[in-house]
Amino acid sequence: MKVTPDYTVIYSDEDIVVLNKKSGLLVAQDRYDQDAPRLDLSAEKEFGKLFAVHRIDKDTSGIVVYARNEESHKNISTQFADRKISKTYHCLVNGRPTWNELTVNLPLLPDGDARHRTVVNKRTGKPSITEFKVAGNCGPYSWIIAHPETGRTHQIRAHLQTTGFPIVCDPLYSGNQHPVLLSDFKRKWNGDTLDERPLLSRLALHAYKIELTHPKSGERMTFTAPYPKDMEAVRNQLAKIFKVNPLEY
Protein backbone atom coordinates (compact mmCIF):
# COMPACT_ATOMS: atom_id res chain seq x y z
CA MET A 1 0.00 0.00 0.00
CA LYS A 2 1.39 3.36 -1.00
CA VAL A 3 0.99 6.03 1.67
CA THR A 4 1.18 9.80 1.15
CA PRO A 5 0.55 12.54 3.72
CA ASP A 6 -2.95 13.03 2.27
CA TYR A 7 -4.19 9.51 1.51
CA THR A 8 -3.59 5.77 1.33
CA VAL A 9 -4.38 3.88 -1.87
CA ILE A 10 -6.84 1.08 -1.12
CA TYR A 11 -7.40 0.00 -4.74
CA SER A 12 -6.78 1.25 -8.26
CA ASP A 13 -7.17 0.05 -11.85
CA GLU A 14 -7.81 1.69 -15.20
CA ASP A 15 -11.35 2.67 -14.26
CA ILE A 16 -11.52 3.53 -10.57
CA VAL A 17 -9.37 4.66 -7.65
CA VAL A 18 -10.33 4.02 -4.03
CA LEU A 19 -8.52 6.14 -1.45
CA ASN A 20 -8.49 6.44 2.33
CA LYS A 21 -8.26 10.18 2.92
CA LYS A 22 -7.14 12.01 6.00
CA SER A 23 -9.38 14.48 7.80
CA GLY A 24 -9.13 18.10 6.63
CA LEU A 25 -9.18 17.56 2.85
CA LEU A 26 -11.94 18.45 0.42
CA VAL A 27 -12.88 15.70 -2.06
CA ALA A 28 -13.41 18.28 -4.83
CA GLN A 29 -13.64 22.05 -5.19
CA ASP A 30 -15.95 23.78 -2.74
CA ARG A 31 -17.66 27.07 -3.52
CA TYR A 32 -17.32 28.25 0.09
CA ASP A 33 -13.64 27.43 0.53
CA GLN A 34 -11.95 27.48 -2.85
CA ASP A 35 -8.42 27.61 -1.43
CA ALA A 36 -8.77 24.66 0.96
CA PRO A 37 -6.52 21.62 0.42
CA ARG A 38 -8.09 19.10 -1.97
CA LEU A 39 -7.73 15.35 -2.22
CA ASP A 40 -8.41 15.22 -5.96
CA LEU A 41 -5.59 17.65 -6.77
CA SER A 42 -3.20 15.69 -4.57
CA ALA A 43 -4.16 12.31 -6.04
CA GLU A 44 -4.12 13.53 -9.65
CA LYS A 45 -0.36 13.89 -9.35
CA GLU A 46 -0.25 10.11 -9.12
CA PHE A 47 -3.25 9.00 -11.20
CA GLY A 48 -3.92 11.76 -13.73
CA LYS A 49 -7.36 13.29 -14.16
CA LEU A 50 -9.94 12.04 -11.68
CA PHE A 51 -13.73 12.36 -11.75
CA ALA A 52 -15.53 12.80 -8.43
CA VAL A 53 -18.55 10.52 -8.10
CA HIS A 54 -19.43 11.32 -4.49
CA ARG A 55 -18.24 13.42 -1.58
CA ILE A 56 -17.53 13.02 2.09
CA ASP A 57 -17.15 15.98 4.42
CA LYS A 58 -13.84 17.80 4.59
CA ASP A 59 -13.42 16.89 8.25
CA THR A 60 -14.46 13.25 7.76
CA SER A 61 -11.73 10.67 7.17
CA GLY A 62 -12.07 7.49 5.15
CA ILE A 63 -13.11 6.02 1.82
CA VAL A 64 -13.41 8.12 -1.31
CA VAL A 65 -13.98 6.65 -4.78
CA TYR A 66 -12.97 8.43 -7.99
CA ALA A 67 -13.61 7.43 -11.60
CA ARG A 68 -10.69 7.59 -14.02
CA ASN A 69 -12.68 8.10 -17.21
CA GLU A 70 -16.03 9.50 -18.32
CA GLU A 71 -17.65 6.09 -18.85
CA SER A 72 -16.84 4.96 -15.32
CA HIS A 73 -17.93 8.33 -13.97
CA LYS A 74 -21.36 7.98 -15.56
CA ASN A 75 -21.76 4.38 -14.40
CA ILE A 76 -20.85 4.96 -10.77
CA SER A 77 -22.78 8.22 -10.56
CA THR A 78 -25.85 6.30 -11.72
CA GLN A 79 -25.27 3.68 -9.05
CA PHE A 80 -25.24 6.40 -6.41
CA ALA A 81 -28.36 8.02 -7.84
CA ASP A 82 -30.18 4.68 -7.87
CA ARG A 83 -29.04 3.88 -4.30
CA LYS A 84 -27.20 0.76 -5.42
CA ILE A 85 -24.09 1.63 -3.45
CA SER A 86 -23.88 0.67 0.22
CA LYS A 87 -21.96 2.96 2.59
CA THR A 88 -20.95 2.36 6.20
CA TYR A 89 -19.65 5.03 8.56
CA HIS A 90 -18.28 4.71 12.09
CA CYS A 91 -18.54 7.55 14.56
CA LEU A 92 -18.05 8.30 18.23
CA VAL A 93 -20.80 10.32 19.88
CA ASN A 94 -21.23 12.05 23.20
CA GLY A 95 -23.69 10.28 25.48
CA ARG A 96 -25.38 6.88 25.76
CA PRO A 97 -28.41 6.29 23.51
CA THR A 98 -31.24 4.27 25.06
CA TRP A 99 -31.95 2.68 21.67
CA ASN A 100 -29.90 -0.02 19.94
CA GLU A 101 -31.12 0.66 16.41
CA LEU A 102 -32.80 3.74 14.98
CA THR A 103 -33.87 4.87 11.51
CA VAL A 104 -34.01 8.64 11.06
CA ASN A 105 -36.23 9.68 8.16
CA LEU A 106 -36.22 13.47 8.13
CA PRO A 107 -35.96 15.73 5.04
CA LEU A 108 -32.77 17.77 4.96
CA LEU A 109 -31.97 21.14 3.44
CA PRO A 110 -28.23 21.72 2.86
CA ASP A 111 -26.89 25.22 3.46
CA GLY A 112 -30.00 25.92 5.50
CA ASP A 113 -28.67 28.57 7.88
CA ALA A 114 -26.06 31.30 8.22
CA ARG A 115 -23.39 28.75 9.20
CA HIS A 116 -24.03 26.71 6.02
CA ARG A 117 -25.34 23.81 8.06
CA THR A 118 -27.75 21.16 6.84
CA VAL A 119 -31.07 21.53 8.65
CA VAL A 120 -34.29 19.57 8.90
CA ASN A 121 -36.92 21.24 6.72
CA LYS A 122 -40.15 19.35 6.19
CA ARG A 123 -41.34 21.81 3.56
CA THR A 124 -38.37 22.18 1.19
CA GLY A 125 -35.88 19.56 2.43
CA LYS A 126 -34.93 16.54 0.33
CA PRO A 127 -35.88 13.02 1.48
CA SER A 128 -33.07 11.71 3.70
CA ILE A 129 -32.79 8.39 5.51
CA THR A 130 -30.05 7.12 7.81
CA GLU A 131 -29.98 3.86 9.75
CA PHE A 132 -28.05 3.91 13.02
CA LYS A 133 -26.87 1.05 15.22
CA VAL A 134 -25.14 1.37 18.58
CA ALA A 135 -22.00 -0.74 18.61
CA GLY A 136 -21.50 -0.17 22.32
CA ASN A 137 -21.32 2.31 25.18
CA CYS A 138 -17.94 3.45 26.49
CA GLY A 139 -18.34 5.62 29.59
CA PRO A 140 -19.14 9.13 28.35
CA TYR A 141 -19.15 7.99 24.70
CA SER A 142 -20.84 5.54 22.36
CA TRP A 143 -19.72 4.01 19.08
CA ILE A 144 -22.37 4.23 16.37
CA ILE A 145 -22.49 2.53 12.97
CA ALA A 146 -24.32 4.59 10.34
CA HIS A 147 -25.76 3.48 7.01
CA PRO A 148 -26.99 6.46 4.99
CA GLU A 149 -29.48 5.42 2.32
CA THR A 150 -29.32 8.87 0.74
CA GLY A 151 -26.32 11.13 0.27
CA ARG A 152 -27.14 14.62 1.50
CA THR A 153 -24.44 17.02 2.65
CA HIS A 154 -23.67 16.47 6.37
CA GLN A 155 -26.50 13.92 6.48
CA ILE A 156 -25.14 11.72 9.27
CA ARG A 157 -24.10 14.71 11.36
CA ALA A 158 -27.43 16.49 10.97
CA HIS A 159 -29.51 13.37 11.62
CA LEU A 160 -27.50 12.48 14.73
CA GLN A 161 -27.98 15.99 16.07
CA THR A 162 -31.74 15.45 15.98
CA THR A 163 -31.34 12.37 18.21
CA GLY A 164 -29.51 14.37 20.88
CA PHE A 165 -26.26 12.46 20.37
CA PRO A 166 -23.95 14.62 18.23
CA ILE A 167 -20.58 13.39 17.02
CA VAL A 168 -17.59 14.08 19.22
CA CYS A 169 -15.77 17.31 18.30
CA ASP A 170 -18.24 18.26 15.57
CA PRO A 171 -17.61 22.00 15.06
CA LEU A 172 -20.99 22.60 13.43
CA TYR A 173 -23.53 20.28 15.00
CA SER A 174 -22.32 19.82 18.59
CA GLY A 175 -22.03 22.39 21.32
CA ASN A 176 -19.44 20.19 23.02
CA GLN A 177 -15.98 20.68 21.52
CA HIS A 178 -14.17 18.88 24.34
CA PRO A 179 -11.50 16.60 22.82
CA VAL A 180 -11.15 12.94 23.77
CA LEU A 181 -8.72 12.73 26.68
CA LEU A 182 -7.50 9.50 28.24
CA SER A 183 -7.92 11.06 31.68
CA ASP A 184 -11.65 11.49 31.03
CA PHE A 185 -12.35 7.75 31.15
CA LYS A 186 -9.29 5.93 32.53
CA ARG A 187 -9.67 5.71 36.31
CA LYS A 188 -6.02 5.20 37.21
CA TRP A 189 -4.53 7.82 34.92
CA ASN A 190 -1.51 9.36 36.61
CA GLY A 191 -0.39 11.99 34.12
CA ASP A 192 -0.39 15.76 34.34
CA THR A 193 -3.71 17.13 33.06
CA LEU A 194 -2.05 20.42 32.14
CA ASP A 195 0.32 18.66 29.72
CA GLU A 196 -2.02 15.93 28.47
CA ARG A 197 -2.31 15.62 24.71
CA PRO A 198 -5.76 14.70 23.33
CA LEU A 199 -6.22 11.30 21.73
CA LEU A 200 -8.57 12.95 19.25
CA SER A 201 -9.55 16.58 18.72
CA ARG A 202 -11.34 16.55 15.34
CA LEU A 203 -14.65 15.30 13.98
CA ALA A 204 -14.92 11.64 15.04
CA LEU A 205 -16.51 10.41 11.81
CA HIS A 206 -14.91 7.87 9.47
CA ALA A 207 -16.17 6.50 6.14
CA TYR A 208 -15.31 2.89 6.89
CA LYS A 209 -16.76 0.73 4.09
CA ILE A 210 -18.30 1.00 0.63
CA GLU A 211 -19.82 -1.63 -1.64
CA LEU A 212 -20.30 -1.00 -5.35
CA THR A 213 -20.40 -2.68 -8.74
CA HIS A 214 -17.28 -2.25 -10.85
CA PRO A 215 -18.20 -0.09 -13.86
CA LYS A 216 -16.47 -2.34 -16.39
CA SER A 217 -16.34 -5.89 -15.02
CA GLY A 218 -19.72 -5.81 -13.27
CA GLU A 219 -18.15 -7.43 -10.22
CA ARG A 220 -19.59 -6.49 -6.85
CA MET A 221 -16.71 -5.11 -4.78
CA THR A 222 -16.35 -4.15 -1.11
CA PHE A 223 -13.63 -1.87 0.23
CA THR A 224 -12.78 -0.94 3.81
CA ALA A 225 -10.62 1.88 5.14
CA PRO A 226 -8.59 1.36 8.33
CA TYR A 227 -9.03 4.01 11.02
CA PRO A 228 -6.53 6.87 11.00
CA LYS A 229 -4.09 7.05 13.91
CA ASP A 230 -6.19 9.33 16.11
CA MET A 231 -9.40 7.30 15.85
CA GLU A 232 -7.48 4.06 16.18
CA ALA A 233 -5.86 5.34 19.38
CA VAL A 234 -9.32 6.13 20.78
CA ARG A 235 -10.73 2.76 19.66
CA ASN A 236 -7.81 0.90 21.20
CA GLN A 237 -8.06 2.63 24.58
CA LEU A 238 -11.86 2.35 24.80
CA ALA A 239 -11.70 -1.32 23.78
CA LYS A 240 -9.20 -2.07 26.55
CA ILE A 241 -11.34 -0.45 29.22
CA PHE A 242 -14.93 -1.04 28.08
CA LYS A 243 -14.50 -4.17 25.91
CA VAL A 244 -16.32 -2.54 22.98
CA ASN A 245 -14.93 -2.79 19.45
CA PRO A 246 -16.84 -1.11 16.57
CA LEU A 247 -14.72 -3.03 14.05
CA GLU A 248 -16.59 -6.19 15.04
CA TYR A 249 -19.90 -4.81 13.75
Side-chain angles (χ1 to χ4, degrees), residues 11-17 47 66-69 72 214-216:
Y11 175 85
S12 67
D13 61 24
E14 294 180 350
D15 299 288
I16 63 172
V17 172
F47 297 102
Y66 289 104
R68 300 189 69 179
N69 52 65
S72 296
H214 192 277
K216 182 171 289 184

Side-chain angles (χ1 to χ4, degrees), residues 32-195:
Y32 301 114
D33 195 359
Q34 297 186 10
D35 297 324
R38 287 167 50 186
L39 176 64
D40 58 342
L41 295 183
S42 178
E44 282 179 350
K45 297 175 183 176
E46 179 176 357
F47 297 102
K49 183 172 177 58
L50 297 175
F51 300 79
V53 293
H54 72 127
R55 296 173 184 250
I56 64 174
D57 298 343
K58 172 184 174 183
D59 295 326
T60 302
S61 57
I63 285 185
V64 177
V65 179
Y66 289 104
R68 300 189 69 179
N69 52 65
E70 293 183 358
E71 293 77 16
S72 296
H73 177 255
K74 181 178 179 181
N75 181 290
I76 299 175
S77 296
T78 299
Q79 290 185 56
F80 272 106
D82 293 342
R83 302 185 188 179
K84 293 182 178 179
I85 291 181
S86 174
K87 297 165 289 182
T88 302
Y89 289 75
H90 290 186
C91 54
L92 189 69
V93 303
N94 291 299
R96 300 167 65 93
T98 56
W99 42 267
N100 291 321
E101 296 184 10
L102 180 69
T103 298
V104 178
N105 186 351
L106 291 171
L108 295 177
L109 178 65
D111 195 15
D113 65 12
R115 297 182 65 189
H116 305 298
R117 292 184 296 187
T118 295
V119 300
V120 174
N121 189 312
K122 295 183 179 180
R123 185 172 62 88
T124 60
K126 295 181 179 180
S128 307
I129 303 172
T130 313
E131 295 180 354
F132 296 108
K133 182 175 183 178
V134 178
N137 303 127
C138 304
Y141 310 111
S142 297
W143 284 110
I144 287 183
I145 312 299
H147 296 282
E149 293 187 14
T150 48
R152 313 303 176 203
T153 301
H154 296 177
Q155 177 174 315
I156 294 171
R157 299 162 69 180
H159 272 170
L160 274 176
Q161 184 192 40
T162 69
T163 71
F165 299 98
I167 299 174
V168 168
C169 293
D170 189 331
L172 287 177
Y173 298 90
S174 174
N176 182 1
Q177 293 303 296
H178 186 67
V180 178
L181 300 172
L182 186 58
S183 60
D184 286 339
F185 56 86
K186 188 173 183 179
R187 292 181 180 179
K188 295 182 179 180
W189 189 81
N190 298 316
D192 185 345
T193 56
L194 295 178
D195 294 330

Side-chain angles (χ1 to χ4, degrees), residues 7-8 14 17 30 83 109 114 148-149 199 202 223 231:
Y7 61 87
T8 299
E14 294 180 350
V17 172
D30 185 284
R83 302 185 188 179
L109 178 65
E149 293 187 14
L199 296 174
R202 56 93 177 174
F223 303 102
M231 281 192 71

